[in-house]
Structures are given as C-alpha cells and as structure tokens.
Amino acid sequence: MVGFDNFLFRLIYSFHMPLFMFLSGCVAKYGVSRSITGNLTRLVLPFLAWYLIAYLVQWATTGQLPDFAHHMMALHENPDMGLWFLWVLFLCHVFFYVMFQAQKVGKCLQL
C-alpha cells in the first residue's frame, strides 16, 4: 500500500497547485495592470510574515534563538517550507506586469 500512497500523493500534487494558480489567474479581479506595490502588500507581506512567525515558533520550541540571516536564507533555498505559492504568484504578477508595460511601449513606438 505504500507504493500506491506515494503514487496517489504524486498524482494529486502534480496538478492541484498548477490548477490553483490557473484559477487564481482566471478570477483575478484587477487584471495585469495592478501595481507591483499592491501585490507586494497583498502577496509578499503575508509570505514574509509567515517566515517571521516560523522563526519565533522555532525559538519558542527550541529555547534557542536561531540565526536570523540563516533562517531568512532558508526562505530562498527552500521556499516550499511555507506559503511558497504566494511568492510564485507574486513573481507571475511581476512577469505579466512587465510584459504588459512592454506591450504598451511597443504600441506607442509603432507609427
């Protein structure tokens, strides 16, 4: 049964987060033109707050204050430790915002 559980786990995880990301794009209220700063507060701030909470919980459970710089580097090295999808969603917003702005500049340059 262990092999089946592993297969089922991998099957579910192969599509459920991409599906959630796709649905997030389908129901986006503000579209591509929303500002980067708005997405920073809406997506990145909760992402960073989660890591601060995890840092404090680690301190409370172990009794030792971990190295904050090392803990924050773990954020970059292992984004799957928490709310990684917020970071990925923010990067998608930045990418499409830049593409949208480039498209507007391209239209302005055409005669």
Side-chain angles (χ1 to χ4, degrees):
M1 206 57 169
V2 172
F4 178 74
D5 289 341
N6 191 24
F7 172 75
L8 187 60
F9 175 82
R10 288 180 183 270
L11 179 68
I12 291 170
Y13 271 79
S14 70
F15 73 87
H16 91 284
M17 285 311 292
L19 177 64
F20 290 153
M21 291 292 182
F22 173 76
L23 292 176
S24 174
C26 289
V27 298
K29 182 178 178 182
Y30 297 104
V32 176
S33 62
R34 186 173 185 164
S35 72
I36 298 296
T37 56
N39 285 321
L40 268 171
T41 57
R42 193 171 57 95
L43 298 171
V44 176
L45 192 60
F47 178 70
L48 293 175
W50 171 256
Y51 277 92
L52 180 61
I53 291 169
Y55 176 78
L56 295 174
V57 166
Q58 185 178 359
W59 175 40
T61 57
T62 63
Q64 296 178 350
L65 194 60
D67 179 32
F68 188 73
H70 179 68
H71 187 77
M72 291 310 283
M73 282 305 296
L75 168 77
H76 180 267
E77 295 168 0
N78 301 314
D80 59 338
M81 290 175 21
L83 303 175
W84 62 269
F85 55 91
L86 293 175
W87 180 247
V88 171
L89 199 55
F90 173 72
L91 292 177
C92 289
H93 278 277
V94 169
F95 175 76
F96 285 112
Y97 182 79
V98 168
M99 291 296 112
F100 183 72
Q101 295 302 322
Q103 180 185 15
K104 285 180 15 180
V105 168
K107 285 182 181 179
C108 289
L109 293 178
Q110 290 177 349
L111 298 175

